[in-house]
């Protein structure tokens, strides 16, 4: 996030980057304290609150074909928000793994409790990207939507050990 900041042009993305950076740093400090002491962190966990509305734009709009950037001068808000998303996804994977493999129950709980907040960070970035058409969501036909929503049935939940 520190490296990305210099490339951001959009004030909205700057705000997201700064709020997420602060949140991630606070979570890091809570983990370090808990790891060092083995005790519940002195600072209460906070809930990450995004500012975006939850409107998703469906449908594809034609755009220029994507290609890898060739120089730093090509770095733009689309690229930065994509790298931020990749970072949050990596954090989610790491935190989940850590929560599953941590022997200290207090530290395990700190990891586990932080996961919904990291998911919220990712969702905020998805909404930002979708709003700016960096992340488009295809619109299914009514028939395809119907097929998808009815493609699964509930489990009969019968005991397999009989």
């Amino acid at each position: 996030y520190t490296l990305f900041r210099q490339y951001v042009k959009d004030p909205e993305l700057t705000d997201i980057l700064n709020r997420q950076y602060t949140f991630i740093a606070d979570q890091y400090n809570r983990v370090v304290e808990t790891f060092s002491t083995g005790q519940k962190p002195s600072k209460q966990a906070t809930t990450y609150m995004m500012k975006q509305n939850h409107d998703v734009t469906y449908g594809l709009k034609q755009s220029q074909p994507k290609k890898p950037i060739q120089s730093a001068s090509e770095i733009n808000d689309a690229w930065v928000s994509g790298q931020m998303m990749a970072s949050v996804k990596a954090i989610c994977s790491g935190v989940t793994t850590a929560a599953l493999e941590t022997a200290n129950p207090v530290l395990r709980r700190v990891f586990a409790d932080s996961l919904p907040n990291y998911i919220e960070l990712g969702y905020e970035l998805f909404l930002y990207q979708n709003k700016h058409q960096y992340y488009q969501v295809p619109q299914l036909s009514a028939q395809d939507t119907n097929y998808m929503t009815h493609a699964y049935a509930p489990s009969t939940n019968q005991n397999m050990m009989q």
Side-chain angles (χ1 to χ4, degrees), residues 40-98:
K40 183 177 177 181
S42 58
K43 186 175 179 184
Q44 182 72 15
T46 57
T47 300
Y48 183 78
M49 301 301 290
M50 64 181 207
K51 293 182 178 179
Q52 268 71 354
N53 63 38
H54 296 265
D55 296 333
V56 175
T57 302
Y58 294 94
L60 301 178
K61 293 188 176 150
Q62 190 169 6
S63 63
Q64 292 294 321
K66 307 293 186 251
K67 63 179 183 169
I69 63 171
Q70 303 297 307
S71 72
S73 65
E74 296 178 65
I75 295 175
N76 57 24
D77 292 336
W79 185 88
V80 170
S81 63
Q83 295 306 305
M84 290 170 64
M85 177 66 91
S87 297
V88 169
K89 287 178 178 181
I91 291 170
C92 283
S93 293
V95 165
T96 300
T97 300

Coordinates of all heavy atoms in Angstrom, one line a residue, residues 40-98:
K40 N -4.7 -11.5 25.5 CA -5.6 -10.7 24.7 C -5.0 -9.3 24.5 O -4.4 -8.7 25.4 CB -6.9 -10.6 25.5 CG -8.0 -9.9 24.7 CD -9.3 -9.9 25.6 CE -10.4 -9.1 24.8 NZ -11.6 -9.1 25.6
P41 N -5.1 -8.8 23.2 CA -4.5 -7.5 22.9 C -5.1 -6.4 23.8 O -6.3 -6.5 24.1 CB -4.7 -7.3 21.4 CG -5.7 -8.3 21.0 CD -5.7 -9.4 22.0
S42 N -4.4 -5.4 24.1 CA -4.9 -4.3 24.9 C -5.8 -3.4 24.1 O -6.7 -2.8 24.7 CB -3.7 -3.4 25.4 OG -2.9 -2.9 24.4
K43 N -5.7 -3.4 22.8 CA -6.5 -2.5 22.0 C -7.7 -3.4 21.4 O -7.4 -4.5 20.8 CB -5.8 -1.9 20.8 CG -6.6 -1.0 20.0 CD -5.7 -0.3 18.9 CE -6.6 0.6 18.1 NZ -5.9 1.2 17.0
Q44 N -8.9 -3.0 21.7 CA -10.1 -3.7 21.2 C -10.1 -3.8 19.7 O -9.7 -2.8 19.0 CB -11.3 -2.9 21.7 CG -12.7 -3.6 21.4 CD -12.9 -4.9 22.2 OE1 -12.3 -5.1 23.2 NE2 -13.8 -5.7 21.7
A45 N -10.6 -4.9 19.2 CA -10.7 -5.1 17.7 C -11.8 -4.1 17.2 O -12.8 -3.8 17.9 CB -11.1 -6.5 17.4
T46 N -11.5 -3.5 16.0 CA -12.5 -2.7 15.4 C -13.1 -3.3 14.2 O -12.5 -4.2 13.6 CB -11.9 -1.3 15.0 OG1 -10.8 -1.6 14.1 CG2 -11.3 -0.6 16.2
T47 N -14.3 -2.9 13.8 CA -14.9 -3.4 12.6 C -14.6 -2.4 11.5 O -14.8 -1.2 11.6 CB -16.4 -3.5 12.8 OG1 -16.7 -4.4 13.9 CG2 -17.1 -4.0 11.6
Y48 N -14.1 -3.0 10.4 CA -13.9 -2.1 9.2 C -15.2 -1.6 8.6 O -16.0 -2.4 8.3 CB -13.0 -2.8 8.2 CG -12.6 -1.9 7.0 CD1 -11.6 -1.0 7.2 CD2 -13.3 -2.0 5.8 CE1 -11.3 -0.1 6.2 CE2 -13.0 -1.1 4.8 CZ -12.0 -0.2 5.0 OH -11.6 0.7 4.0
M49 N -15.3 -0.3 8.4 CA -16.5 0.2 7.8 C -16.1 0.9 6.5 O -15.4 1.9 6.5 CB -17.1 1.3 8.8 CG -17.5 0.7 10.1 SD -18.6 -0.6 10.1 CE -20.1 0.2 9.6
M50 N -16.6 0.3 5.4 CA -16.4 0.9 4.1 C -17.4 2.0 3.9 O -18.5 2.1 4.5 CB -16.5 -0.1 3.0 CG -17.8 -0.8 2.9 SD -17.6 -2.0 1.5 CE -19.3 -2.1 1.0
K51 N -17.1 2.9 2.9 CA -18.0 4.0 2.6 C -18.8 3.8 1.4 O -19.8 4.5 1.1 CB -17.2 5.3 2.4 CG -16.5 5.8 3.7 CD -15.7 7.1 3.4 CE -15.0 7.6 4.6 NZ -14.3 8.8 4.3
Q52 N -18.5 2.8 0.6 CA -19.2 2.5 -0.7 C -20.6 2.0 -0.4 O -20.9 1.4 0.6 CB -18.5 1.4 -1.5 CG -17.5 1.9 -2.4 CD -16.3 2.4 -1.8 OE1 -16.2 2.6 -0.6 NE2 -15.3 2.8 -2.6
N53 N -21.5 2.3 -1.4 CA -22.8 1.7 -1.3 C -22.6 0.3 -1.9 O -21.5 -0.1 -2.3 CB -23.9 2.5 -2.1 CG -23.5 2.6 -3.6 OD1 -23.0 1.6 -4.2 ND2 -23.8 3.7 -4.2
H54 N -23.6 -0.5 -1.9 CA -23.5 -1.9 -2.2 C -24.1 -2.2 -3.6 O -24.4 -3.3 -3.9 CB -24.2 -2.8 -1.2 CG -23.5 -2.7 0.1 ND1 -22.5 -3.6 0.6 CD2 -23.7 -1.8 1.2 CE1 -22.1 -3.3 1.8 NE2 -22.8 -2.2 2.1
D55 N -24.1 -1.2 -4.5 CA -24.6 -1.3 -5.8 C -23.6 -2.0 -6.7 O -22.5 -1.5 -6.8 CB -25.1 0.0 -6.4 CG -26.2 0.6 -5.6 OD1 -27.0 -0.1 -5.0 OD2 -26.3 1.9 -5.6
V56 N -24.0 -3.0 -7.4 CA -23.1 -3.7 -8.4 C -23.7 -3.4 -9.7 O -24.9 -3.6 -9.9 CB -23.0 -5.2 -8.1 CG1 -22.2 -5.9 -9.2 CG2 -22.4 -5.5 -6.7
T57 N -22.8 -3.0 -10.7 CA -23.3 -2.9 -12.0 C -23.0 -4.2 -12.8 O -21.9 -4.7 -12.8 CB -22.4 -1.7 -12.7 OG1 -22.6 -0.5 -12.0 CG2 -22.9 -1.5 -14.1
Y58 N -24.1 -4.7 -13.4 CA -24.0 -5.9 -14.2 C -24.0 -5.6 -15.6 O -24.6 -4.6 -16.1 CB -25.2 -6.8 -13.8 CG -25.2 -7.3 -12.4 CD1 -25.9 -6.6 -11.4 CD2 -24.5 -8.4 -12.1 CE1 -25.9 -7.1 -10.1 CE2 -24.5 -8.9 -10.8 CZ -25.2 -8.2 -9.8 OH -25.2 -8.7 -8.5
G59 N -23.4 -6.5 -16.4 CA -23.3 -6.3 -17.8 C -21.9 -5.9 -18.2 O -21.1 -5.3 -17.4
L60 N -21.5 -6.2 -19.4 CA -20.2 -5.9 -20.0 C -20.2 -4.8 -20.9 O -21.2 -4.7 -21.7 CB -19.6 -7.2 -20.7 CG -19.5 -8.4 -19.9 CD1 -19.0 -9.6 -20.7 CD2 -18.6 -8.2 -18.7
K61 N -19.2 -3.9 -20.8 CA -19.1 -2.8 -21.8 C -17.8 -3.0 -22.5 O -16.8 -3.3 -21.8 CB -19.1 -1.5 -21.1 CG -20.5 -1.2 -20.5 CD -20.6 0.2 -20.0 CE -22.0 0.5 -19.5 NZ -22.1 1.4 -18.4
Q62 N -17.8 -2.8 -23.8 CA -16.6 -3.0 -24.5 C -15.5 -2.0 -24.1 O -15.8 -0.9 -23.9 CB -16.8 -2.9 -26.0 CG -15.7 -3.4 -26.9 CD -16.0 -3.5 -28.3 OE1 -17.2 -3.2 -28.7 NE2 -15.1 -4.0 -29.1
S63 N -14.3 -2.5 -24.0 CA -13.1 -1.7 -23.6 C -11.9 -2.1 -24.4 O -12.0 -3.1 -25.1 CB -12.9 -1.8 -22.1 OG -12.5 -3.1 -21.8
Q64 N -10.9 -1.4 -24.3 CA -9.6 -1.7 -24.9 C -9.1 -3.1 -24.4 O -9.3 -3.3 -23.2 CB -8.6 -0.7 -24.7 CG -8.8 0.7 -25.3 CD -8.8 0.6 -26.9 OE1 -7.9 -0.1 -27.4 NE2 -9.7 1.2 -27.5
P65 N -8.5 -3.9 -25.2 CA -7.9 -5.1 -24.7 C -6.9 -4.9 -23.7 O -6.2 -3.9 -23.7 CB -7.3 -5.8 -26.0 CG -8.0 -5.1 -27.1 CD -8.4 -3.7 -26.7
K66 N -6.8 -5.7 -22.7 CA -5.9 -5.6 -21.6 C -4.5 -6.2 -22.0 O -4.5 -7.2 -22.7 CB -6.4 -6.3 -20.3 CG -7.8 -5.9 -19.9 CD -7.8 -4.4 -19.4 CE -9.2 -4.1 -18.9 NZ -9.9 -3.2 -19.7
K67 N -3.5 -5.6 -21.5 CA -2.1 -6.1 -21.7 C -1.3 -5.8 -20.6 O -1.6 -4.8 -19.8 CB -1.6 -5.6 -23.0 CG -1.3 -4.1 -23.0 CD -0.7 -3.6 -24.3 CE -0.5 -2.1 -24.2 NZ 0.3 -1.6 -25.3
P68 N -0.2 -6.5 -20.4 CA 0.7 -6.2 -19.3 C 1.3 -4.8 -19.4 O 1.6 -4.3 -20.5 CB 1.8 -7.2 -19.4 CG 1.2 -8.3 -20.2 CD 0.2 -7.7 -21.1
I69 N 1.5 -4.1 -18.3 CA 2.1 -2.8 -18.4 C 3.6 -3.0 -18.7 O 4.2 -4.0 -18.4 CB 1.9 -2.0 -17.1 CG1 2.6 -2.6 -15.9 CG2 0.5 -1.7 -16.8 CD1 2.6 -1.8 -14.7
Q70 N 4.1 -2.0 -19.4 CA 5.5 -2.0 -19.9 C 6.4 -1.1 -19.1 O 7.7 -1.3 -19.1 CB 5.6 -1.7 -21.4 CG 4.8 -2.6 -22.2 CD 5.2 -4.0 -22.2 OE1 6.3 -4.3 -22.4 NE2 4.2 -4.9 -21.9
S71 N 5.9 -0.1 -18.4 CA 6.7 0.8 -17.6 C 5.8 1.4 -16.5 O 4.6 1.3 -16.5 CB 7.2 1.9 -18.5 OG 6.1 2.8 -18.9
A72 N 6.5 2.0 -15.5 CA 5.9 2.6 -14.4 C 4.9 3.7 -14.8 O 3.9 4.0 -14.1 CB 6.9 3.1 -13.4
S73 N 5.2 4.3 -15.9 CA 4.3 5.4 -16.3 C 2.9 4.9 -16.7 O 2.0 5.7 -16.8 CB 4.9 6.2 -17.5 OG 5.0 5.3 -18.6
E74 N 2.8 3.6 -16.9 CA 1.5 3.1 -17.3 C 0.6 2.7 -16.0 O -0.5 2.3 -16.2 CB 1.6 1.8 -18.2 CG 2.3 2.1 -19.5 CD 2.4 0.9 -20.3 OE1 1.4 0.3 -20.7 OE2 3.6 0.5 -20.6
I75 N 1.2 2.8 -14.8 CA 0.5 2.4 -13.6 C -0.6 3.4 -13.4 O -0.4 4.6 -13.4 CB 1.5 2.3 -12.4 CG1 2.5 1.2 -12.6 CG2 0.7 2.2 -11.1 CD1 3.5 1.2 -11.5
N76 N -1.8 2.9 -13.3 CA -3.0 3.8 -13.1 C -3.9 3.2 -12.0 O -3.5 2.2 -11.3 CB -3.8 3.9 -14.4 CG -4.2 2.5 -14.9 OD1 -4.3 1.5 -14.2 ND2 -4.4 2.4 -16.2
D77 N -5.0 3.9 -11.7 CA -5.9 3.5 -10.6 C -6.5 2.0 -10.8 O -6.7 1.3 -9.8 CB -7.0 4.5 -10.5 CG -6.6 5.8 -10.0 OD1 -5.5 5.9 -9.4 OD2 -7.3 6.8 -10.3
A78 N -6.7 1.6 -12.1 CA -7.2 0.3 -12.3 C -6.1 -0.7 -11.8 O -6.4 -1.7 -11.2 CB -7.5 0.1 -13.8
W79 N -4.9 -0.5 -12.2 CA -3.8 -1.4 -11.8 C -3.6 -1.4 -10.3 O -3.5 -2.4 -9.7 CB -2.5 -1.0 -12.5 CG -1.3 -1.9 -12.2 CD1 -1.0 -3.1 -12.9 CD2 -0.4 -1.8 -11.2 NE1 0.1 -3.7 -12.4 CE2 0.5 -2.9 -11.3 CE3 -0.2 -0.9 -10.2 CZ2 1.5 -3.2 -10.4 CZ3 0.9 -1.2 -9.3 CH2 1.7 -2.3 -9.4
V80 N -3.6 -0.2 -9.7 CA -3.4 -0.1 -8.2 C -4.5 -0.8 -7.5 O -4.2 -1.6 -6.6 CB -3.3 1.4 -7.8 CG1 -3.3 1.5 -6.3 CG2 -2.0 2.0 -8.3
S81 N -5.7 -0.5 -7.9 CA -6.8 -1.2 -7.2 C -6.8 -2.7 -7.3 O -7.1 -3.5 -6.4 CB -8.2 -0.6 -7.6 OG -8.5 -0.9 -9.0
G82 N -6.3 -3.2 -8.5 CA -6.1 -4.6 -8.7 C -5.0 -5.2 -7.8 O -5.2 -6.3 -7.3
Q83 N -4.0 -4.5 -7.6 CA -2.9 -4.9 -6.8 C -3.3 -4.9 -5.3 O -2.9 -5.8 -4.5 CB -1.6 -4.1 -7.0 CG -1.0 -4.2 -8.4 CD -0.7 -5.7 -8.7 OE1 0.0 -6.4 -8.0 NE2 -1.3 -6.1 -9.8
M84 N -4.1 -3.9 -5.0 CA -4.6 -3.8 -3.6 C -5.5 -5.1 -3.3 O -5.4 -5.7 -2.3 CB -5.4 -2.5 -3.4 CG -4.5 -1.3 -3.3 SD -5.5 0.3 -3.3 CE -6.4 0.1 -1.8
M85 N -6.3 -5.4 -4.3 CA -7.2 -6.6 -4.2 C -6.4 -7.8 -4.1 O -6.7 -8.7 -3.2 CB -8.2 -6.7 -5.4 CG -9.0 -7.9 -5.4 SD -10.2 -7.9 -4.1 CE -11.6 -7.1 -4.9
A86 N -5.3 -8.0 -4.9 CA -4.5 -9.1 -4.8 C -3.8 -9.2 -3.4 O -3.7 -10.3 -2.8 CB -3.4 -9.1 -5.9
S87 N -3.4 -8.1 -2.8 CA -2.8 -8.0 -1.5 C -3.8 -8.5 -0.4 O -3.5 -9.3 0.5 CB -2.4 -6.6 -1.2 OG -1.3 -6.2 -2.0
V88 N -5.1 -8.0 -0.5 CA -6.1 -8.4 0.4 C -6.4 -9.9 0.3 O -6.6 -10.5 1.3 CB -7.4 -7.5 0.3 CG1 -8.5 -8.1 1.1 CG2 -7.1 -6.1 0.7
K89 N -6.5 -10.4 -0.9 CA -6.7 -11.8 -1.1 C -5.6 -12.6 -0.4 O -5.8 -13.7 0.2 CB -6.8 -12.2 -2.5 CG -8.1 -11.7 -3.2 CD -8.1 -12.1 -4.7 CE -9.4 -11.7 -5.3 NZ -9.5 -12.0 -6.7
A90 N -4.3 -12.2 -0.6 CA -3.2 -12.9 0.0 C -3.3 -12.8 1.6 O -3.0 -13.8 2.3 CB -1.9 -12.3 -0.4
I91 N -3.7 -11.6 2.1 CA -3.9 -11.5 3.5 C -4.9 -12.5 4.0 O -4.7 -13.2 5.0 CB -4.2 -10.0 3.9 CG1 -3.0 -9.1 3.7 CG2 -4.7 -10.0 5.4 CD1 -3.3 -7.6 3.8
C92 N -6.0 -12.6 3.3 CA -7.1 -13.5 3.7 C -6.6 -14.9 3.8 O -6.9 -15.6 4.7 CB -8.3 -13.4 2.8 SG -9.3 -11.9 3.0
S93 N -5.9 -15.3 2.8 CA -5.4 -16.7 2.7 C -4.4 -16.9 3.9 O -4.5 -17.9 4.6 CB -4.6 -17.0 1.4 OG -5.5 -17.0 0.4
G94 N -3.5 -16.0 4.1 CA -2.5 -16.1 5.2 C -3.2 -16.1 6.6 O -2.8 -16.9 7.5
V95 N -4.2 -15.2 6.8 CA -4.9 -15.2 8.1 C -5.7 -16.4 8.3 O -5.7 -17.0 9.4 CB -5.8 -13.9 8.2 CG1 -6.8 -14.0 9.3 CG2 -4.9 -12.7 8.3
T96 N -6.3 -17.0 7.3 CA -7.1 -18.2 7.4 C -6.1 -19.4 7.8 O -6.4 -20.1 8.7 CB -7.8 -18.5 6.1 OG1 -8.7 -17.5 5.9 CG2 -8.6 -19.8 6.3
T97 N -5.0 -19.5 7.1 CA -4.0 -20.5 7.4 C -3.5 -20.4 8.8 O -3.4 -21.3 9.5 CB -2.9 -20.5 6.4 OG1 -3.4 -20.7 5.1 CG2 -1.8 -21.5 6.7
A98 N -3.2 -19.1 9.2 CA -2.6 -18.9 10.5 C -3.7 -19.3 11.6 O -3.3 -19.9 12.6 CB -2.2 -17.4 10.7

